[in-house]
């Protein structure tokens, strides 16, 4: 018999889903009803709505770090496995959409936290030999996160008052199928045929680039 899920974990899972469905202003009593606890128990475990939202932020970062690290280490097999399990990511994706939609300092902080996490799992990929080292790991991670989250926000299935988490997995699959091919091409086959633009930029800003030239177009390092 499986161990019962602790109350604080039930609250956190319920909050991710409820905030994704109804937005970040969803009543805590609805979260409590979803988790099968009293509203007072939410305050007991998390102290306030803001602290509960911070816990939701941390959970999205943990899930992203785990899945990205697994993808970079597991290669194509892990990619296919994650694509086949879209349903389990729906609450996290929905929550991130709501957080970005709300904007403000907390949304900015979440994006910065995603970038910091990306630095770590990209470094894991470098050590595993699946990611090319960067002359600016932090800058690369920030741009990648801004591009990924910005593209997700532009699609914005959460622009409606309520987000249907039952429909979101199908939307995720359709969205992923549309972007995965072009993204993998951009990431594995350089868009530019040489690095003359980068060299010209570096010559006027940061001096010589200490990193070696990348492989010839289309070749793996």
């Amino acid at each position: 018999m499986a161990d019962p899920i602790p109350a604080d974990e039930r609250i956190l899972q319920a909050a991710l889903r409820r905030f994704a469905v109804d937005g970040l202003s969803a009543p805590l009593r609805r979260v409590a009803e979803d988790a099968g606890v009293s509203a007072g128990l939410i305050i007991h475990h998390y102290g306030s709505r803001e602290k509960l939202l911070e816990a939701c932020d941390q959970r999205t970062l943990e899930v992203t770090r785990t899945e990205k690290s697994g993808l970079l280490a597991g290669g194509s097999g892990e990619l296919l496995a994650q694509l086949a399990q879209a349903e389990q990511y729906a609450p996290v994706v929905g929550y991130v959409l709501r957080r970005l939609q709300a904007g403000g300092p907390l949304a900015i902080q979440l994006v910065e936290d995603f970038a910091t996490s990306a630095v770590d799992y990209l470094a894991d990929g470098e050590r595993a030999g699946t990611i090319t080292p960067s002359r600016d790991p932090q800058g690369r991670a920030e741009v990648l996160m801004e591009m990924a989250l910005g593209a997700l926000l532009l699609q914005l299935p959460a622009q409606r008052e309520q987000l249907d988490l039952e429909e979101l997995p199908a939307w995720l699959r359709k969205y992923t199928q549309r972007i995965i091919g072009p993204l993998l091409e951009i990431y594995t086959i350089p868009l530019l045929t040489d690095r003359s633009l980068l060299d010209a930029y570096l010559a006027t800003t940061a001096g010589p680039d200490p990193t070696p030239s990348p492989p010839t177009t289309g070749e793996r390092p």
Side-chain angles (χ1 to χ4, degrees):
M1 182 175 178
D3 293 334
I5 300 175
D8 59 339
E9 177 63 20
R10 296 205 314 272
I11 291 168
L12 183 56
Q13 292 180 13
L16 278 169
R17 293 187 65 88
R18 181 55 56 187
F19 290 143
V21 170
D22 292 336
L24 303 187
S25 61
L28 291 186
R29 61 178 174 77
R30 293 298 305 277
V31 175
E33 291 171 3
D34 295 343
V37 302
S38 67
L41 199 58
I42 294 180
I43 302 303
H44 171 74
H45 282 293
Y46 292 98
S48 65
R49 173 188 297 274
E50 288 70 27
K51 293 297 184 182
L52 180 57
L53 287 169
E54 289 177 9
C56 289
D57 287 355
Q58 289 305 309
R59 177 56 56 85
T60 64
L61 291 168
E62 291 167 6
V63 170
T64 301
R65 169 66 189 269
T66 298
E67 298 307 319
K68 293 293 187 182
S69 294
L71 178 61
L72 294 177
S76 58
E78 180 65 21
L79 171 64
L80 295 176
Q82 290 188 18
L83 291 176
Q85 298 171 357
E87 290 83 358
Q88 72 182 48
Y89 305 116
V92 170
V93 172
Y95 175 80
V96 171
L97 282 169
R98 289 301 196 184
R99 176 61 97 185
L100 295 174
Q101 184 184 38
L106 291 178
I108 294 172
Q109 183 62 53
L110 182 61
V111 175
E112 292 176 353
D113 290 344
F114 268 118
T116 299
S117 181
V119 171
D120 293 336
Y121 60 70
L122 288 172
D124 291 342
E126 290 180 14
R127 287 188 287 271
T130 59
I131 294 293
T132 302
S134 171
R135 56 175 297 277
D136 182 6
Q138 181 68 34
R140 176 175 68 175
E142 289 175 357
V143 170
L144 286 174
M145 283 302 101
E146 290 167 2
M147 289 170 60
L149 295 175
L152 192 63
L153 186 60
L154 283 174
Q155 306 305 313
L156 204 60
Q159 60 188 329
R160 295 169 292 181
E161 185 174 343
Q162 281 200 322
L163 176 64
D164 189 337
L165 292 187
E166 300 301 320
E167 294 179 356
L168 188 57
W171 179 87
L172 282 172
R173 285 196 181 92
K174 183 177 179 180
Y175 175 70
T176 301
Q177 288 170 357
R178 181 172 67 82
I179 69 169
I180 192 69
L183 274 180
L184 289 175
E185 179 180 321
I186 290 171
Y187 290 157
T188 57
I189 303 174
L191 179 65
L192 301 176
T193 58
D194 62 49
R195 52 176 285 160
S196 58
L197 289 177
L198 175 62
D199 289 339
Y201 168 75
L202 293 174
T204 60
T205 55
D209 183 6
T211 59
S213 298
T216 303
T217 301
E219 293 183 358
R220 301 291 298 179

